[in-house]
């Protein structure tokens, strides 16, 4: 195949077709007519000698060849867009840029306040648009619609850039009047009632099953290694809710230490070490290759790293 004879627009068509799996939607994404996209699909089929998309009862489904090509084509296009983007100097003191950051409530509580303080000093006219994980998809980050996502991630697309902000251990947050404080050990921990907090990711979650330890996350997986299971009374997807419930009830909230330390000066609460080992977690920031060379984005990443270093425990 002579690459000099290939219309590179076909790579864009292929990328969008494999994302949308629908000719009409793909055409709308590229602001071209449906016949033009259909013609592009025909040319792709001729070029690759493969159907690319096959109509089934479930709609258009990509062939195995198309599935192999999808990440390669996406990577090529992202690299090309990144390379061709103009690189301008960034002057934070004069900038009116809006930084859009997806942050879990854990990150929003422990990192963002210190970051905002720095922004108010160094770039007073900039703004922060903080979004929750359910507001954002990986595609939003990949396409540069969101400057950055800050969370804990199990899996990430290979195209993303990433940097670890910090590692965090776990702690137990308990009301200071809770009788468990007189004898806090693994046995009393297991007999007590608990608040579960989800490991939030992208998209909207579903209901939890207390018996499904594999989906309960770090704390319960750590207990399962000892053949133990805790009694969970409340499931929540929000660390602030978990901490408030621990304040108001006799329930125990086991959560990342930095979140628990938000209550370290509250006389009504006690922050305790868990009575069993729990692996630490990593808070990461991820961003699109499209923004990797952007001067304002480079400045923001450096600022976040600086803030994290200053917040070192």
């Amino acid at each position: 195949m002579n690459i000099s004879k290939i219309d590179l627009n076909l790579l864009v068509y292929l990328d969008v077709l494999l994302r949308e799996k629908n000719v009409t939607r793909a055409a709308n994404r590229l602001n071209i007519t449906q016949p033009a996209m259909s013609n592009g699909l025909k040319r792709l089929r001729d070029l690759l000698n493969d159907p690319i998309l096959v109509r089934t009862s479930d709609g258009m489904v990509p062939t195995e060849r198309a599935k192999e090509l999808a990440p390669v084509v996406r990577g090529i296009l992202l690299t090309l867009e990144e390379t061709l983007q103009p690189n301008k100097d960034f002057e934070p003191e004069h900038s009116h840029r809006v930084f859009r950051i997806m942050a879990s409530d854990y990150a929003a509580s422990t990192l963002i306040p210190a970051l905002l303080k720095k922004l108010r000093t160094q770039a007073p006219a900039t703004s922060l648009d903080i979004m929750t994980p359910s507001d954002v998809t990986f595609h939003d980050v990949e396409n540069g619609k969101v400057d950055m996502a800050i969370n804990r991630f199990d899996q990430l697309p290979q195209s993303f850039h990433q940097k670890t902000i910090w590692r965090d251990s776990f702690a137990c947050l308990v009301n200071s009047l809770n009788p468990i404080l007189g004898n806090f050990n693994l046995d009393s921990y297991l007999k007590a009632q608990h608040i579960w907090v989800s490991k939030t990711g992208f998209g909207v979650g579903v209901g939890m099953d207390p018996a499904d330890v594999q989906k309960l996350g770090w704390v319960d997986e750590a207990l399962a290694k000892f053949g133990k299971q805790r009694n969970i009374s409340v499931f929540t997807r929000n660390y602030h809710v978990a901490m408030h419930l621990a304040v108001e009830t006799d329930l125990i909230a086991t959560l990342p230490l930095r979140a628990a330390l938000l209550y370290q000066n509250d006389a009504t609460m006690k922050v305790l070490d868990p009575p069993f080992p729990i692996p630490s977690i990593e808070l990461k920031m991820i961003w699109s290759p499209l923004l990797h060379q952007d001067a304002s984005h480079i400045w923001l990443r450096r600022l976040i790293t600086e803030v994290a270093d200053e917040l070192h425990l």
Side-chain angles (χ1 to χ4, degrees):
M1 184 182 295
N2 188 345
I3 195 170
S4 65
K5 295 181 179 180
I6 297 175
D7 180 355
L8 293 182
N9 282 324
L10 290 178
L11 292 180
V12 179
Y13 288 9
L14 179 59
D15 178 56
V16 177
L17 280 165
L18 294 179
R19 285 165 171 267
E20 297 294 339
K21 300 179 181 64
N22 181 284
V23 172
T24 301
R25 288 200 302 268
N28 290 337
R29 277 279 297 271
L30 293 179
N31 293 315
I32 62 175
T33 65
Q34 193 269 345
M37 182 57 77
S38 294
N39 181 58
L41 178 57
K42 180 180 183 303
R43 292 169 63 197
L44 282 165
R45 285 168 168 167
D46 292 340
L47 177 68
L48 299 173
N49 192 29
D50 186 272
I52 306 298
L53 291 170
V54 178
R55 191 176 301 281
T56 70
S57 58
D58 295 324
M60 299 290 275
V61 176
T63 63
E64 289 303 313
R65 172 72 169 142
K67 290 178 183 177
E68 292 173 0
L69 287 171
V72 177
V73 171
R74 179 95 284 253
I76 291 171
L77 292 176
L78 286 172
T79 300
L80 186 60
E81 288 186 52
E82 177 186 346
T83 303
L84 296 178
Q85 277 203 10
N87 192 18
K88 300 177 182 178
D89 291 336
F90 179 63
E91 298 178 344
E93 64 275 13
H94 300 130
S95 176
H96 288 77
R97 194 190 193 290
V98 177
F99 291 109
R100 293 183 170 85
I101 298 177
M102 185 288 282
S104 63
D105 70 313
Y106 162 66
S109 301
T110 56
L111 175 71
I112 298 300
L115 174 61
L116 182 58
K117 200 178 214 180
K118 289 273 189 183
L119 283 172
R120 298 300 303 144
T121 302
Q122 299 184 25
T126 60
S127 303
L128 271 184
D129 181 8
I130 302 171
M131 291 166 280
T132 68
S134 60
D135 295 328
V136 176
T137 67
F138 276 136
H139 286 317
D140 293 329
V141 179
E142 189 176 48
N143 293 334
K145 294 179 181 178
V146 177
D147 288 295
M148 189 175 295
I150 301 177
N151 204 343
R152 304 174 323 276
F153 303 99
D154 292 331
Q155 292 182 329
L156 290 170
Q158 291 184 353
S159 61
F160 283 11
H161 291 279
Q162 60 177 285
K163 180 178 176 62
T164 298
I165 296 175
W166 62 49
R167 298 184 68 88
D168 202 0
S169 56
F170 279 79
C172 296
L173 191 63
V174 181
N175 187 295
S176 60
L177 298 178
N178 193 321
I180 200 173
L181 291 173
N183 186 29
F184 187 66
N185 54 38
L186 182 57
D187 285 340
S188 61
Y189 180 93
L190 294 174
K191 290 175 182 176
Q193 298 296 314
H194 295 266
I195 305 162
W196 176 93
V197 191
S198 75
K199 46 181 181 179
T200 51
F202 285 94
V204 178
V206 295
M208 295 302 304
D209 179 359
D212 195 349
V213 174
Q214 294 300 317
K215 292 183 179 179
L216 290 180
W218 300 278
V219 176
D220 297 279
E221 288 173 5
L223 279 173
K225 291 179 180 178
F226 297 95
K228 306 294 185 181
Q229 189 171 351
R230 60 179 174 164
N231 301 311
I232 300 172
S233 294
V234 179
F235 291 87
T236 179
R237 278 75 180 160
N238 188 291
Y239 280 101
H240 280 294
V241 171
M243 291 186 285
H244 184 69
L245 289 175
V247 170
E248 298 296 331
T249 69
D250 61 349
L251 301 178
I252 299 174
T254 306
L255 37 87
L257 176 62
R258 288 176 184 269
L261 288 179
L262 295 174
Y263 281 84
Q264 65 182 330
N265 296 322
D266 187 333
T268 66
M269 299 304 297
K270 293 291 183 182
V271 178
L272 307 172
D273 291 331
F276 59 97
I278 306 172
S280 61
I281 59 170
E282 275 189 327
L283 183 70
K284 290 184 176 183
M285 55 179 169
I286 65 171
W287 63 93
S288 168
L290 297 178
L291 297 170
H292 189 60
Q293 301 299 335
D294 180 84
S296 63
H297 202 274
I298 292 171
W299 179 85
L300 177 65
R301 298 196 307 263
R302 288 174 179 166
L303 189 65
I304 290 173
T305 301
E306 179 183 321
V307 168
D309 288 342
E310 292 177 359
L311 292 174
H312 180 71
L313 291 179

